[in-house]
Amino acid sequence: MSGRHRIGATVLLAAAGVVLAVLGVGSFGNPFSADETVRSVPAGATSSTPLTSGVLAERQSGILSDEDQRLLTLVASVRPGSPPYLQSLDGSQTLVLTAGGLSYGLADLLTYGAAQVQPDGSVLITKHVFVAPGARLTITAPGGTLRLSSDLSGFVSLVAWKADLVLAGAQGQQLTVTSWDPAAQTPDRTAVDGRAYIRDVSGDMQVRYVAADGLGFWAGRTSGVAWTGSTRTAATGAITSSSFRENHYGAFASQGQGITVTDSDFSGNEVDGLSLHRSTAATTIGNSTARGNGRHGFSADQGSESITYTDVTAEENTDYGVFFSGTPLSAGQSAGGASLRAYGQVHVSGGVLRQNGKAGLRVVDGDDVTIADTRVADNTDGIVVVGTTAPTSIEGTTVSGNRRFGISVSAGTATVRGNQLSGSETAIRVRDAAVTVTGNDVRKATAHAVSVVGAADGSSVSDNTIGGRGPSGLDVYRVDAGVSIDLSGNDVAGWTRDRDDVTYWSTFIPNHPLLLLWVALLGAPLLLAVRARRNRPQRPVGTPYPEVVRRERAAPVQVDVGRRIPSGQL
C-alpha cells in the first residue's frame, strides 16, 4: 500500500475510534465499574462541575489542619472547675464553657462576649464557642435567627467536645442557624476560604425545628452540622423537623450510634444531603427528603450499617437518591487492623426515589438488604444492587420510566419478587449473580423484559408476566456455557418480538458498540480499493504502447527464385 493510502486508512480508523468513544464503548462493558469507589468531593465542587483547583484544595486543607490543632489545644488546656473564660489562640478568641452543673444558654453567650444582638433582633456569634467535656449548651429560640460570623477574614465555629448541644425552635417557628458575612449582610456562600460550622464530638446533639443554611467546608467534620464520635465513644443525637440547605454536606455523621432523623429536609447541598460515614450504626431515617444535592441524597459507607429508611423521598440528586456501600474497610490484613467483613442490614420501606442522575438506589457489597413498597421513577437506572449476599430482597416496588435498567442485580444473590415495572430498556437485568426472579409484572420494556447474562448459576425466572416490544422478552442466550435457567410459568403473551422496531434500531449501536469497529476494520480496505481505482490515471483508448515505439511494417519483398529445372537437364 502506498504512503498516501496508508495515511487514508489511518484517518478512517481514527475517525472510527472517535465515533466509538462518543458512543461510549468503554461504558457498556461494565456500566458500573467507574463508580464503585465513593470519591470525596471538595468544597464548591459537585459531580457535574470541575473539582476545586489544587491551590484552593491545599488552602482548605490547611485551614482544616489549623482548626484541628486549635481544638486539640483547647481540649488539652481546659481548666477544670473554672467558670467560663475566653482563650486566645493564633489571633482568634474562643469562649470555653466549662462543666458547671447547669446548662448554658444563649444568654450566657451574650454575657461572656461571644455574641451580640443585632438591630433586626438576630444574634450574631462573633467568637468561637467551645463546650468543654461534661458541659451542656441549649439554645432554644423559636422563630429566632442565630448567625455565625464568616467572611474572608475568618469564621467562627460552635463545637461541643464530649458535651451535649441542643439547638431548638418550635413547631411552626424554626430556629434559623446560618453563616453570616457582616459586611455583605448575607450568608457566606464561599466555602473555599473556610466557613462557619457546628460540630459535636463524642457527645449528644439534638437538632429540633431548625433551619441550617450556608454552613461548612471541605471535610465531613467541618461540613456544616456534624456528629463525630470515636472508637471509644460514639456520637448520639437526633434531627427532628429540621432543614439543611446550601451547606457543604447537609448533615454528616461519623462513628455515630442510634441517631434518628424524622420529618426533615436536606436540599441543595454541595455534596450529600445526609451522609453516614465510618462506622455509623443503628440509624433510622423517616419521612425525610433529600433533593437537588451535588452527589447523593442519602449516603452511607465506610463501615456504616443497620440503617432503616422509611418513606423517604430522594429526587433530582446528581448521582444516587440513596447510596450504600458495605465494602470491607480493608481488602486484606492491614497494620491498622481494619475490618475485613462486609456491612449491611439496610432496609428501605416505602418512599419515592425519582429523577436522580445515575440511579434511584444503589447498594454495593451489602448483606441483609430489603427494599419493599418503594416507588422508583425516571432515573437513569432504577434499583441497582452489586455484590449483595442473602438475605437480599426487592419486593413490591413500582419501577417506571428508568432509561436503562429497572432493577439490576450483579455479582451477588437476591430475590426479586412481586414488583411492577414499566418503561425501561431492560426491566430486570441479572449479571453474574444468583437471583430468583418471580411473580413480577413487566410492561412496556423496549429491549428485554428479563435479561440473564454471564455466570448466573442458581438463577431462575418463573411465573412472571411480561409485556413490551423488542428483540426478546426473556433474554437468556448470553449465559455462560453449562448454565441452565428455569423459565417455567412465565406469561409472554404480551411480548412482541420485533427486530424492525424503531426503538430497537435506535439503541442498536449503543448496545453493540464493537459493531462500528468491525465495520471500520473490514470496510476500510474496500473503501481504499475503490478510492485507488477512482484516482488511477486514465490511459488513451487503443494500443497501450507510445507512438515513439511503433514501427511501420515493411512492404513484402517479391523474390524470383527461378524456374524449376526438370531433372536431368543440368
Side-chain angles (χ1 to χ4, degrees):
M1 183 182 290
S2 70
R4 180 177 60 192
H5 293 164
R6 284 195 297 270
I7 292 172
T10 302
V11 171
L12 285 172
L13 292 175
V18 171
V19 172
L20 292 171
V22 171
L23 290 172
V25 172
S27 65
F28 282 88
N30 184 350
F32 306 113
S33 61
D35 53 15
E36 298 290 66
T37 301
V38 181
R39 62 182 175 82
S40 175
V41 181
T46 70
S47 298
S48 59
T49 60
L51 296 181
T52 306
S53 71
V55 173
L56 295 180
E58 185 176 353
R59 180 179 180 184
Q60 290 184 83
S61 179
I63 295 171
L64 176 65
S65 179
D66 291 343
E67 186 67 3
D68 287 343
Q69 186 58 51
R70 183 183 69 85
L71 292 175
L72 291 174
T73 301
L74 288 170
V75 171
S77 60
V78 169
R79 307 167 193 170
S82 168
Y85 59 90
L86 289 172
Q87 182 166 343
S88 295
L89 289 171
D90 297 328
S92 66
Q93 286 192 313
T94 301
L95 172 62
V96 180
L97 299 176
T98 55
L102 297 177
S103 176
Y104 295 99
L106 187 57
D108 294 295
L109 303 188
L110 296 168
T111 299
Y112 291 105
Q116 301 171 356
V117 177
Q118 303 298 290
D120 61 0
S122 65
V123 174
L124 177 66
I125 297 180
T126 57
K127 296 178 175 62
H128 294 290
V129 177
F130 182 80
V131 187
R136 179 182 178 88
L137 173 62
T138 300
I139 298 177
T140 302
T145 299
L146 182 66
R147 294 167 174 165
L148 282 71
S149 183
S150 183
D151 57 20
L152 290 174
S153 64
F155 60 87
V156 301
S157 62
L158 173 55
V159 176
W161 193 285
K162 293 187 177 181
D164 296 339
L165 176 62
V166 177
L167 301 173
Q171 186 171 4
Q173 293 181 296
Q174 284 188 320
L175 165 63
T176 298
V177 181
T178 182
S179 63
W180 192 252
D181 183 335
Q185 289 291 292
T186 62
D188 184 358
R189 298 302 181 194
T190 304
V192 295
D193 55 354
R195 190 164 58 171
Y197 69 93
I198 297 170
R199 178 187 178 191
D200 188 276
V201 182
S202 296
D204 184 88
M205 179 163 60
Q206 302 286 326
V207 179
R208 301 190 291 264
Y209 302 103
V210 169
D213 171 73
L215 298 168
F217 71 99
W218 192 241
R221 59 188 179 275
T222 58
S223 63
V225 181
W227 286 252
T228 58
S230 66
T231 55
R232 292 184 177 182
T233 309
T236 61
I239 299 172
T240 305
S241 300
S242 296
S243 63
F244 301 80
R245 298 173 182 168
E246 299 190 48
N247 301 324
H248 185 50
Y249 285 79
F252 177 90
S254 174
Q255 294 181 308
Q257 179 72 32
I259 296 172
T260 62
V261 180
T262 56
D263 301 318
S264 295
D265 178 78
F266 307 85
S267 296
N269 299 289
E270 291 178 349
V271 190
D272 298 346
L274 172 62
S275 177
L276 308 178
H277 188 65
R278 193 169 291 280
S279 304
T280 295
T283 306
T284 60
I285 303 162
N287 299 299
S288 296
T289 299
R291 178 186 296 110
N293 296 289
R295 188 172 61 172
H296 312 317
F298 300 99
S299 70
D301 61 7
Q302 291 288 304
S304 295
E305 61 183 342
S306 301
I307 304 164
T308 300
Y309 299 93
T310 304
D311 295 329
V312 302
T313 297
E315 59 188 5
E316 300 176 4
N317 299 288
T318 300
D319 288 353
Y320 301 109
V322 176
F323 175 84
F324 175 84
S325 173
T327 302
L329 298 179
S330 176
Q333 298 297 329
S334 63
S339 174
L340 303 180
R341 71 176 181 90
Y343 297 85
Q345 300 176 37
V346 180
H347 308 291
V348 180
S349 177
V352 179
L353 313 175
R354 62 189 171 202
Q355 297 178 2
N356 296 287
K358 291 186 176 179
L361 181 148
R362 179 174 171 85
V363 176
V364 179
D365 295 335
D367 65 305
D368 189 11
V369 178
T370 61
I371 304 161
D373 304 317
T374 302
R375 184 159 65 92
V376 184
D378 302 325
N379 309 280
T380 299
D381 297 318
I383 297 171
V384 178
V385 295
V386 181
T388 55
T389 59
T392 292
S393 64
I394 303 170
E395 299 189 35
T397 65
T398 300
V399 183
S400 63
N402 301 289
R403 185 172 65 82
R404 297 195 309 176
F405 306 122
I407 297 173
S408 174
V409 183
S410 302
T413 62
T415 297
V416 179
R417 178 190 294 118
N419 303 284
Q420 295 184 346
L421 304 99
S422 65
S424 303
E425 291 178 5
T426 299
I428 301 172
R429 194 275 295 265
V430 176
R431 186 183 186 92
D432 299 327
V435 182
T436 299
V437 181
T438 184
N440 300 285
D441 188 347
V442 177
R443 292 286 181 265
K444 298 181 181 179
T446 59
H448 312 290
V450 181
S451 177
V452 184
V453 181
D457 298 273
S459 291
S460 64
V461 181
S462 62
D463 301 320
N464 301 285
T465 301
I466 68 171
R469 186 173 182 175
S472 62
L474 299 176
D475 170 29
V476 294
Y477 310 109
R478 296 177 288 163
V479 297
D480 287 356
V483 174
S484 178
I485 306 298
D486 175 17
L487 298 177
S488 62
N490 294 295
D491 180 357
V492 298
W495 187 265
T496 300
R497 187 176 185 274
D498 186 359
R499 298 187 66 84
D500 294 326
D501 182 69
V502 173
T503 302
Y504 170 75
W505 286 111
S506 68
T507 59
F508 185 84
I509 294 298
N511 288 336
H512 303 81
L514 291 180
L515 178 63
L516 281 181
L517 179 60
W518 284 110
V519 169
L521 291 175
L522 298 177
L526 178 60
L527 292 174
L528 291 173
V530 171
R531 181 181 177 188
R533 188 176 184 87
R534 293 180 60 183
N535 294 336
R536 182 181 300 166
Q538 298 293 322
R539 296 190 178 96
V541 179
T543 176
Y545 303 106
E547 289 293 329
V548 296
V549 299
R550 294 183 61 195
R551 298 176 181 231
E552 294 292 340
R553 182 184 297 177
V557 179
Q558 186 174 2
V559 179
D560 187 2
V561 298
R563 294 180 295 115
R564 182 180 179 184
I565 301 176
S567 176
Q569 294 185 4
L570 294 174

